[in-house]
Amino acid sequence: WASAFFAFTVTGTTVHFVPILIDSGAAPMEAAGIASIIGVSAFIGRVGMGVLLDRFPATLLGGLVCTLPAISCVLLLLNGTDPVIQAVAAALLGLTVGGEIDVIAYLTTRQFGLRNYGTIYGAMTSAMNVGTATGALTAGAIYDWQGGYDTFLFITMAAMLSSSLALGTIGKGRFAAGH
């Protein structure tokens, strides 16, 4: 479920990031420029996570990377009108976009091995697809219903902190190095 929550919240937040910033008072072009930080930091997150997975426990990294969108949401809720805060929130979101899928793929091999990797990773990807399909739709529906994104940001915080706890507490896999 961590992968479904990840896709739900990150897709919803990323797709609606420009409108979230505009809703906070940013001009459309300014919001688009700040949102571009998500792409740059996603690249950094992808490369950086590969390096970090070679050096640190994947469960710890997974738990940490899932807290980043929650921090992003807190920043937007507390001071979302400040362009610097908006840029930091975008960078944190992008790092998660880049790094989380790597963690899930890596943990799948360590927890379940390679024998049934395609089936297990396919199931996780299916859960992510459900999250992807519903995240942006839900964020939009909440905006239409309430006239703002605050509720969706709170849902994102709860979902990502739950995912962080789930990933951070996974035991050492049967197929982890040294076994």
Side-chain angles (χ1 to χ4, degrees):
W1 56 270
S3 60
F5 279 175
F6 158 74
F8 175 86
T9 57
V10 171
T11 300
T13 308
T14 302
V15 167
H16 288 270
F17 200 77
V18 170
I20 289 169
L21 298 185
I22 292 170
D23 198 44
S24 296
M29 289 302 289
E30 179 185 18
I34 291 170
S36 70
I37 295 169
I38 294 171
V40 173
S41 47
F43 176 77
I44 294 167
R46 178 66 42 95
V47 173
M49 188 56 71
V51 171
L52 292 173
L53 284 170
D54 290 337
R55 291 168 176 76
F56 298 100
T59 55
L60 173 68
L61 293 172
L64 289 174
V65 79
C66 280
T67 62
L68 298 180
I71 295 168
S72 179
C73 290
V74 168
L75 292 173
L76 291 171
L77 286 165
L78 292 179
N79 196 9
T81 59
D82 182 343
V84 173
I85 296 296
Q86 294 171 347
V88 171
L92 294 174
L93 187 59
L95 289 172
T96 299
V97 169
E100 184 58 25
I101 293 172
D102 294 351
V103 170
I104 290 171
Y106 186 87
L107 281 173
T108 300
T109 64
R110 296 304 183 254
Q111 294 296 316
F112 304 105
L114 294 176
R115 185 171 184 196
N116 295 312
Y117 177 79
T119 301
I120 295 167
Y121 189 70
M124 289 185 176
T125 303
S126 295
M128 289 174 68
N129 287 336
V130 169
T132 298
T134 57
L137 179 65
T138 302
I142 288 171
Y143 180 84
D144 290 345
W145 175 44
Q146 296 190 332
Y149 289 100
D150 288 1
T151 299
F152 186 75
L153 295 175
F154 280 112
I155 290 168
T156 295
M157 288 188 313
M160 292 312 291
L161 291 174
S162 297
S163 294
S164 177
L165 181 63
L167 290 174
T169 58
I170 293 174
K172 188 171 184 175
R174 189 168 66 146
F175 299 95
H179 276 238

